[in-house]
Coordinates of all heavy atoms in Angstrom, one line a residue:
M564 N 122.7 -32.9 -43.7 CA 123.0 -31.9 -42.6 C 124.5 -32.0 -42.4 O 125.2 -33.0 -42.7 CB 122.3 -32.4 -41.3 CG 122.1 -31.3 -40.3 SD 121.3 -31.8 -38.8 CE 119.7 -31.3 -39.1
A565 N 125.1 -31.0 -41.9 CA 126.5 -30.9 -41.7 C 127.0 -31.9 -40.6 O 126.8 -31.6 -39.4 CB 126.9 -29.5 -41.3
N566 N 127.5 -33.0 -41.0 CA 127.9 -34.0 -40.0 C 129.0 -33.6 -39.0 O 129.1 -34.2 -38.0 CB 128.5 -35.3 -40.8 CG 127.4 -36.0 -41.5 OD1 126.2 -35.8 -41.2 ND2 127.7 -36.8 -42.4
V567 N 129.7 -32.5 -39.3 CA 130.7 -32.0 -38.4 C 130.1 -31.5 -37.1 O 130.8 -31.5 -36.1 CB 131.5 -30.9 -39.1 CG1 133.0 -30.9 -38.8 CG2 131.2 -30.7 -40.6
L568 N 128.9 -31.1 -37.1 CA 128.3 -30.6 -35.9 C 128.0 -31.7 -34.9 O 127.9 -31.4 -33.7 CB 126.9 -29.9 -36.3 CG 127.0 -28.6 -37.0 CD1 125.5 -28.1 -37.3 CD2 127.7 -27.6 -36.2
F569 N 127.8 -32.9 -35.3 CA 127.3 -33.9 -34.5 C 128.3 -34.9 -34.0 O 129.2 -35.3 -34.8 CB 126.1 -34.7 -35.2 CG 125.1 -33.7 -35.8 CD1 125.0 -33.5 -37.1 CD2 124.3 -32.9 -34.9 CE1 124.1 -32.6 -37.6 CE2 123.4 -32.0 -35.4 CZ 123.3 -31.9 -36.8
K570 N 128.1 -35.4 -32.8 CA 129.1 -36.4 -32.2 C 128.8 -37.8 -32.8 O 129.7 -38.6 -32.9 CB 128.9 -36.4 -30.7 CG 129.6 -35.3 -30.0 CD 129.5 -35.5 -28.5 CE 130.3 -34.4 -27.8 NZ 130.3 -34.6 -26.3
N571 N 127.5 -38.1 -33.1 CA 127.2 -39.4 -33.6 C 125.9 -39.4 -34.4 O 125.3 -38.4 -34.5 CB 127.1 -40.4 -32.4 CG 126.1 -39.9 -31.3 OD1 125.0 -39.5 -31.7 ND2 126.5 -40.0 -30.1
E572 N 125.6 -40.6 -34.9 CA 124.4 -40.7 -35.8 C 123.1 -40.4 -35.0 O 122.2 -39.9 -35.5 CB 124.4 -42.1 -36.4 CG 123.4 -42.3 -37.4 CD 123.5 -43.7 -38.1 OE1 124.6 -44.0 -38.5 OE2 122.4 -44.3 -38.1
L573 N 123.1 -40.9 -33.7 CA 121.9 -40.7 -32.9 C 121.6 -39.2 -32.7 O 120.5 -38.7 -32.8 CB 122.1 -41.4 -31.5 CG 120.9 -41.3 -30.6 CD1 119.7 -42.0 -31.2 CD2 121.3 -41.9 -29.3
E574 N 122.7 -38.4 -32.4 CA 122.5 -37.0 -32.3 C 122.0 -36.3 -33.6 O 121.1 -35.5 -33.6 CB 123.8 -36.4 -31.8 CG 123.7 -34.9 -31.4 CD 125.0 -34.4 -30.9 OE1 125.2 -34.5 -29.7 OE2 125.8 -33.8 -31.7
E575 N 122.6 -36.8 -34.7 CA 122.1 -36.2 -36.0 C 120.7 -36.5 -36.2 O 119.9 -35.7 -36.7 CB 123.0 -36.8 -37.1 CG 122.7 -36.2 -38.5 CD 123.6 -36.7 -39.6 OE1 124.4 -37.6 -39.3 OE2 123.4 -36.2 -40.7
K576 N 120.2 -37.8 -35.9 CA 118.8 -38.1 -36.1 C 117.9 -37.3 -35.3 O 116.8 -36.9 -35.7 CB 118.7 -39.6 -35.8 CG 119.2 -40.5 -36.9 CD 118.9 -42.0 -36.6 CE 119.5 -42.9 -37.7 NZ 119.3 -44.3 -37.4
Q577 N 118.3 -37.0 -34.0 CA 117.5 -36.2 -33.1 C 117.3 -34.8 -33.8 O 116.1 -34.3 -33.7 CB 118.2 -36.0 -31.8 CG 117.5 -35.1 -30.8 CD 118.3 -34.9 -29.6 OE1 119.5 -35.1 -29.5 NE2 117.7 -34.4 -28.5
H578 N 118.3 -34.2 -34.3 CA 118.1 -32.9 -34.9 C 117.4 -32.9 -36.2 O 116.6 -32.1 -36.5 CB 119.5 -32.2 -35.1 CG 120.1 -31.9 -33.8 ND1 119.6 -30.9 -33.0 CD2 121.2 -32.4 -33.1 CE1 120.4 -30.8 -31.9 NE2 121.3 -31.7 -31.9
E579 N 117.6 -34.0 -37.0 CA 116.8 -34.1 -38.2 C 115.3 -34.3 -37.9 O 114.5 -33.8 -38.6 CB 117.3 -35.4 -39.0 CG 118.6 -35.1 -39.8 CD 118.4 -34.1 -40.9 OE1 117.3 -33.9 -41.4 OE2 119.4 -33.6 -41.4
E580 N 115.0 -35.0 -36.9 CA 113.6 -35.2 -36.5 C 113.0 -33.9 -36.0 O 111.9 -33.5 -36.4 CB 113.5 -36.2 -35.3 CG 112.1 -36.5 -34.9 CD 112.0 -37.5 -33.9 OE1 112.9 -38.3 -33.6 OE2 110.9 -37.6 -33.3
A581 N 113.8 -33.1 -35.3 CA 113.3 -31.7 -34.9 C 113.0 -30.9 -36.1 O 112.0 -30.2 -36.2 CB 114.3 -31.1 -33.9
I582 N 113.9 -30.9 -37.1 CA 113.7 -30.1 -38.3 C 112.5 -30.6 -39.0 O 111.6 -29.8 -39.5 CB 115.0 -30.1 -39.2 CG1 116.1 -29.4 -38.5 CG2 114.7 -29.6 -40.6 CD1 117.5 -29.5 -39.1
R583 N 112.4 -31.9 -39.1 CA 111.2 -32.5 -39.9 C 109.9 -32.1 -39.2 O 108.9 -31.8 -39.9 CB 111.4 -34.0 -39.9 CG 110.4 -34.7 -40.8 CD 110.7 -36.2 -41.0 NE 111.2 -36.9 -39.8 CZ 112.5 -37.3 -39.7 NH1 113.4 -37.0 -40.6 NH2 112.9 -38.0 -38.6
N584 N 109.9 -32.1 -37.9 CA 108.6 -31.8 -37.2 C 108.3 -30.3 -37.4 O 107.1 -30.0 -37.6 CB 108.8 -32.0 -35.7 CG 108.8 -33.5 -35.3 OD1 108.4 -34.3 -36.1 ND2 109.4 -33.8 -34.2
L585 N 109.3 -29.4 -37.4 CA 109.0 -28.0 -37.7 C 108.5 -27.9 -39.2 O 107.6 -27.1 -39.4 CB 110.3 -27.2 -37.5 CG 110.7 -26.9 -36.1 CD1 112.1 -26.4 -36.0 CD2 109.7 -25.9 -35.5
C586 N 109.1 -28.6 -40.1 CA 108.7 -28.5 -41.5 C 107.3 -29.1 -41.7 O 106.5 -28.6 -42.6 CB 109.7 -29.3 -42.4 SG 111.3 -28.5 -42.5
E587 N 106.8 -30.0 -40.9 CA 105.5 -30.5 -41.0 C 104.5 -29.4 -40.5 O 103.4 -29.3 -41.1 CB 105.3 -31.7 -40.1 CG 105.9 -33.0 -40.8 CD 105.8 -34.2 -39.9 OE1 105.2 -34.1 -38.8 OE2 106.4 -35.2 -40.3
E588 N 104.9 -28.6 -39.6 CA 104.0 -27.5 -39.1 C 104.0 -26.3 -40.1 O 103.0 -25.6 -40.2 CB 104.5 -27.0 -37.8 CG 104.4 -27.9 -36.6 CD 105.0 -27.4 -35.3 OE1 105.0 -26.2 -35.1 OE2 105.5 -28.2 -34.5
H589 N 105.1 -26.2 -40.8 CA 105.2 -25.0 -41.8 C 105.8 -25.5 -43.1 O 107.0 -25.2 -43.4 CB 106.1 -23.9 -41.2 CG 105.7 -23.4 -39.9 ND1 104.7 -22.5 -39.8 CD2 106.0 -23.8 -38.6 CE1 104.5 -22.2 -38.5 NE2 105.3 -23.0 -37.8
P590 N 105.1 -26.3 -43.9 CA 105.6 -26.9 -45.1 C 106.1 -26.0 -46.1 O 107.0 -26.3 -46.9 CB 104.5 -27.8 -45.6 CG 103.3 -27.4 -44.9 CD 103.7 -26.7 -43.6
E591 N 105.6 -24.8 -46.1 CA 105.9 -23.8 -47.1 C 107.3 -23.1 -46.8 O 107.8 -22.4 -47.6 CB 104.9 -22.7 -47.2 CG 104.7 -21.7 -46.1 CD 104.1 -22.3 -44.8 OE1 103.6 -23.5 -44.8 OE2 104.0 -21.6 -43.8
K592 N 107.8 -23.4 -45.6 CA 109.1 -22.7 -45.2 C 110.2 -23.7 -44.9 O 111.0 -23.5 -44.0 CB 108.8 -21.8 -44.0 CG 107.9 -20.7 -44.3 CD 107.7 -19.8 -43.1 CE 106.8 -18.6 -43.5 NZ 106.6 -17.7 -42.4
Q593 N 110.2 -24.8 -45.6 CA 111.2 -25.9 -45.2 C 112.6 -25.5 -45.3 O 113.4 -25.8 -44.4 CB 110.9 -27.1 -46.1 CG 109.6 -27.8 -45.7 CD 109.3 -29.1 -46.5 OE1 110.3 -29.6 -47.1 NE2 108.1 -29.5 -46.6
Q594 N 113.0 -24.8 -46.4 CA 114.4 -24.4 -46.5 C 114.8 -23.4 -45.5 O 115.9 -23.5 -44.9 CB 114.6 -23.9 -47.9 CG 116.1 -23.5 -48.2 CD 117.0 -24.7 -48.1 OE1 116.6 -25.8 -48.5 NE2 118.2 -24.5 -47.7
Y595 N 113.9 -22.4 -45.2 CA 114.1 -21.4 -44.2 C 114.3 -22.1 -42.8 O 115.2 -21.7 -42.1 CB 113.0 -20.4 -44.2 CG 113.0 -19.4 -43.1 CD1 113.9 -18.3 -43.2 CD2 112.3 -19.5 -41.9 CE1 113.9 -17.3 -42.2 CE2 112.4 -18.6 -40.9 CZ 113.2 -17.5 -41.0 OH 113.3 -16.6 -40.0
I596 N 113.5 -23.0 -42.5 CA 113.5 -23.7 -41.2 C 114.9 -24.4 -41.1 O 115.5 -24.3 -40.0 CB 112.3 -24.7 -41.1 CG1 111.0 -23.9 -40.9 CG2 112.6 -25.7 -40.0 CD1 109.8 -24.8 -41.0
R597 N 115.3 -25.2 -42.1 CA 116.5 -25.9 -42.0 C 117.7 -24.9 -41.8 O 118.6 -25.1 -40.9 CB 116.8 -26.7 -43.2 CG 118.1 -27.4 -43.3 CD 118.2 -28.4 -44.4 NE 117.3 -29.5 -44.2 CZ 117.6 -30.6 -43.4 NH1 118.7 -30.6 -42.7 NH2 116.7 -31.6 -43.3
E598 N 117.7 -23.9 -42.5 CA 118.8 -22.9 -42.4 C 118.8 -22.2 -41.0 O 119.9 -22.1 -40.4 CB 118.7 -21.8 -43.5 CG 119.0 -22.3 -44.9 CD 118.6 -21.3 -46.0 OE1 118.1 -20.2 -45.6 OE2 118.7 -21.7 -47.1
Q599 N 117.7 -21.8 -40.6 CA 117.6 -21.1 -39.3 C 117.9 -22.1 -38.1 O 118.5 -21.7 -37.1 CB 116.2 -20.5 -39.1 CG 116.0 -19.3 -40.0 CD 117.0 -18.3 -40.0 OE1 117.4 -17.8 -38.9 NE2 117.6 -17.9 -41.1
Y600 N 117.5 -23.3 -38.2 CA 117.7 -24.3 -37.2 C 119.2 -24.5 -37.1 O 119.8 -24.5 -36.0 CB 117.0 -25.6 -37.5 CG 117.1 -26.7 -36.4 CD1 116.1 -26.8 -35.5 CD2 118.3 -27.5 -36.3 CE1 116.2 -27.8 -34.5 CE2 118.4 -28.4 -35.3 CZ 117.3 -28.6 -34.4 OH 117.5 -29.5 -33.4
L601 N 119.9 -24.8 -38.2 CA 121.3 -25.0 -38.1 C 122.1 -23.8 -37.7 O 123.1 -23.9 -36.9 CB 121.8 -25.5 -39.5 CG 121.3 -26.8 -39.9 CD1 121.8 -27.1 -41.4 CD2 121.8 -27.9 -39.0
E602 N 121.6 -22.6 -38.1 CA 122.2 -21.4 -37.6 C 122.1 -21.2 -36.1 O 123.0 -20.7 -35.4 CB 121.6 -20.2 -38.4 CG 122.3 -18.9 -38.2 CD 121.8 -17.8 -39.0 OE1 121.7 -18.0 -40.3 OE2 121.4 -16.7 -38.5
A603 N 120.9 -21.5 -35.6 CA 120.7 -21.4 -34.1 C 121.5 -22.5 -33.4 O 122.0 -22.3 -32.3 CB 119.2 -21.6 -33.8
L604 N 121.6 -23.7 -34.0 CA 122.3 -24.8 -33.3 C 123.8 -24.6 -33.2 O 124.4 -25.0 -32.2 CB 122.0 -26.1 -34.1 CG 122.5 -27.4 -33.5 CD1 122.0 -27.6 -32.1 CD2 122.2 -28.5 -34.4
E605 N 124.4 -24.1 -34.2 CA 125.9 -24.1 -34.3 C 126.6 -23.4 -33.1 O 127.4 -24.0 -32.5 CB 126.3 -23.4 -35.6 CG 127.8 -23.6 -35.9 CD 128.1 -23.1 -37.3 OE1 127.3 -22.6 -38.0 OE2 129.3 -23.3 -37.6
P606 N 126.2 -22.2 -32.7 CA 126.9 -21.7 -31.5 C 126.6 -22.4 -30.2 O 127.5 -22.5 -29.4 CB 126.4 -20.2 -31.4 CG 125.2 -20.2 -32.3 CD 125.2 -21.3 -33.2
M607 N 125.4 -23.0 -30.1 CA 125.1 -23.7 -28.9 C 125.8 -25.0 -28.8 O 126.3 -25.4 -27.7 CB 123.6 -24.0 -28.9 CG 122.7 -22.8 -28.6 SD 121.0 -23.3 -28.3 CE 120.4 -23.7 -30.0
I608 N 126.0 -25.7 -29.9 CA 126.6 -27.0 -29.9 C 128.1 -27.0 -29.6 O 128.6 -27.9 -29.0 CB 126.3 -27.8 -31.3 CG1 126.2 -29.3 -31.0 CG2 127.3 -27.5 -32.4 CD1 125.5 -30.0 -32.1
S609 N 128.7 -25.9 -30.0 CA 130.2 -25.9 -29.8 C 130.5 -25.6 -28.3 O 131.6 -26.1 -27.9 CB 130.8 -24.8 -30.7 OG 130.2 -23.5 -30.3
D610 N 129.6 -25.0 -27.6 CA 129.9 -24.7 -26.2 C 129.2 -25.7 -25.2 O 129.5 -25.7 -24.0 CB 129.4 -23.3 -25.8 CG 130.1 -22.2 -26.6 OD1 131.3 -22.5 -26.9 OD2 129.6 -21.2 -26.8
A611 N 128.3 -26.6 -25.7 CA 127.5 -27.4 -24.9 C 128.3 -28.6 -24.3 O 129.0 -29.3 -24.9 CB 126.3 -28.0 -25.7
Q612 N 128.1 -28.7 -23.0 CA 128.7 -29.9 -22.3 C 127.6 -31.0 -22.3 O 127.9 -32.2 -22.4 CB 129.0 -29.5 -20.9 CG 130.0 -28.4 -20.8 CD 131.3 -28.8 -20.1 OE1 131.4 -29.8 -19.5 NE2 132.3 -27.9 -20.3
I613 N 126.3 -30.6 -22.1 CA 125.2 -31.5 -22.1 C 124.4 -31.2 -23.4 O 123.9 -30.1 -23.5 CB 124.3 -31.4 -20.9 CG1 125.2 -31.7 -19.6 CG2 123.1 -32.3 -21.0 CD1 124.5 -31.5 -18.3
R614 N 124.4 -32.1 -24.3 CA 123.8 -31.8 -25.7 C 122.4 -32.3 -25.8 O 121.8 -32.0 -26.9 CB 124.7 -32.4 -26.7 CG 126.1 -31.7 -26.6 CD 127.2 -32.6 -27.3 NE 127.1 -32.6 -28.8 CZ 127.9 -31.9 -29.6 NH1 128.8 -31.1 -29.1 NH2 127.7 -32.0 -30.9
T615 N 121.8 -32.9 -24.8 CA 120.5 -33.6 -25.0 C 119.4 -32.6 -25.3 O 118.5 -33.0 -26.1 CB 120.2 -34.3 -23.6 OG1 121.3 -35.1 -23.3 CG2 118.9 -35.1 -23.7
Y616 N 119.4 -31.4 -24.8 CA 118.3 -30.5 -24.9 C 118.5 -29.5 -26.0 O 117.7 -28.6 -26.2 CB 118.1 -29.8 -23.6 CG 117.8 -30.7 -22.5 CD1 118.7 -31.0 -21.5 CD2 116.6 -31.4 -22.4 CE1 118.5 -31.9 -20.5 CE2 116.3 -32.3 -21.4 CZ 117.2 -32.5 -20.4 OH 117.0 -33.4 -19.4
L617 N 119.6 -29.6 -26.8 CA 119.9 -28.6 -27.8 C 118.8 -28.5 -28.9 O 118.5 -27.5 -29.4 CB 121.2 -28.9 -28.5 CG 122.4 -28.6 -27.5 CD1 123.7 -29.0 -28.3 CD2 122.5 -27.2 -27.0
S618 N 118.2 -29.7 -29.2 CA 117.1 -29.7 -30.2 C 115.9 -28.9 -29.7 O 115.3 -28.2 -30.5 CB 116.7 -31.1 -30.6 OG 116.2 -31.8 -29.5
I619 N 115.6 -28.9 -28.4 CA 114.5 -28.1 -27.9 C 114.8 -26.6 -28.0 O 114.0 -25.9 -28.4 CB 114.3 -28.5 -26.4 CG1 113.8 -30.0 -26.4 CG2 113.3 -27.6 -25.8 CD1 113.8 -30.6 -25.0
F620 N 116.1 -26.3 -27.6 CA 116.4 -24.8 -27.7 C 116.4 -24.3 -29.1 O 115.9 -23.2 -29.4 CB 117.8 -24.6 -27.0 CG 117.9 -25.0 -25.6 CD1 119.0 -25.6 -25.1 CD2 116.8 -24.8 -24.7 CE1 119.1 -26.0 -23.7 CE2 116.9 -25.1 -23.4 CZ 118.0 -25.7 -22.9
A621 N 117.0 -25.1 -30.0 CA 117.0 -24.7 -31.4 C 115.6 -24.6 -32.0 O 115.3 -23.6 -32.7 CB 117.9 -25.6 -32.3
T622 N 114.7 -25.5 -31.6 CA 113.3 -25.5 -32.1 C 112.6 -24.3 -31.6 O 111.9 -23.6 -32.4 CB 112.6 -26.8 -31.6 OG1 113.3 -27.9 -32.3 CG2 111.2 -26.8 -32.0
R623 N 112.8 -24.0 -30.3 CA 112.2 -22.8 -29.8 C 112.6 -21.5 -30.5 O 111.8 -20.6 -30.8 CB 112.5 -22.6 -28.3 CG 111.8 -23.6 -27.4 CD 112.1 -23.3 -26.0 NE 111.5 -24.3 -25.1 CZ 111.8 -24.5 -23.9 NH1 112.8 -23.8 -23.3 NH2 111.2 -25.4 -23.2
K624 N 113.9 -21.4 -30.8 CA 114.4 -20.2 -31.5 C 113.7 -20.1 -32.9 O 113.3 -19.0 -33.3 CB 115.9 -20.3 -31.6 CG 116.5 -19.1 -32.3 CD 117.9 -18.8 -31.9 CE 118.3 -17.5 -32.6 NZ 119.3 -16.8 -31.9
V625 N 113.7 -21.2 -33.6 CA 113.1 -21.2 -35.0 C 111.6 -20.9 -34.9 O 111.1 -20.1 -35.7 CB 113.3 -22.6 -35.7 CG1 112.5 -22.6 -37.0 CG2 114.8 -22.8 -35.9
K626 N 110.9 -21.4 -33.9 CA 109.5 -21.1 -33.8 C 109.3 -19.6 -33.5 O 108.3 -19.0 -34.0 CB 108.9 -21.9 -32.6 CG 108.6 -23.4 -33.0 CD 107.8 -24.1 -31.9 CE 107.4 -25.5 -32.4 NZ 106.7 -26.2 -31.4
T627 N 110.1 -19.0 -32.7 CA 110.1 -17.6 -32.4 C 110.3 -16.8 -33.7 O 109.5 -15.9 -34.0 CB 111.1 -17.2 -31.4 OG1 110.9 -17.9 -30.2 CG2 111.1 -15.7 -31.1
L628 N 111.2 -17.2 -34.5 CA 111.5 -16.6 -35.8 C 110.3 -16.7 -36.8 O 110.0 -15.8 -37.5 CB 112.7 -17.1 -36.5 CG 114.1 -16.8 -35.8 CD1 115.2 -17.6 -36.4 CD2 114.4 -15.3 -35.8
L629 N 109.6 -17.8 -36.7 CA 108.5 -18.1 -37.6 C 107.3 -17.2 -37.2 O 106.4 -16.9 -38.0 CB 108.1 -19.6 -37.6 CG 109.1 -20.5 -38.3 CD1 108.8 -21.9 -38.0 CD2 109.0 -20.2 -39.8
Q630 N 107.2 -16.8 -36.0 CA 106.1 -16.0 -35.5 C 106.2 -14.6 -36.0 O 105.2 -13.9 -35.9 CB 106.0 -16.1 -34.0 CG 105.6 -17.4 -33.4 CD 105.6 -17.5 -31.9 OE1 106.1 -16.6 -31.3 NE2 105.1 -18.6 -31.4
H631 N 107.4 -14.2 -36.3 CA 107.6 -12.8 -36.7 C 107.7 -12.6 -38.2 O 107.9 -13.3 -39.0 CB 108.9 -12.2 -36.1 CG 108.8 -12.2 -34.6 ND1 108.0 -11.4 -33.8 CD2 109.4 -13.0 -33.6 CE1 108.1 -11.7 -32.5 NE2 109.0 -12.6 -32.4

């Protein structure tokens, strides 16, 4: 994952876990999930003052995309 997005290793692990969970739900779309997650995360992460919930927001966005 692009380390430049994350403040520390803990934050990176949080997002990797969110991606992994999505991939377990949709194993046939792993590459798509990773790309869409990072694309959803990038604009949020640059503006976020509180970053704790970003994985939830990015996950919701990807789940919405997967439904369509």
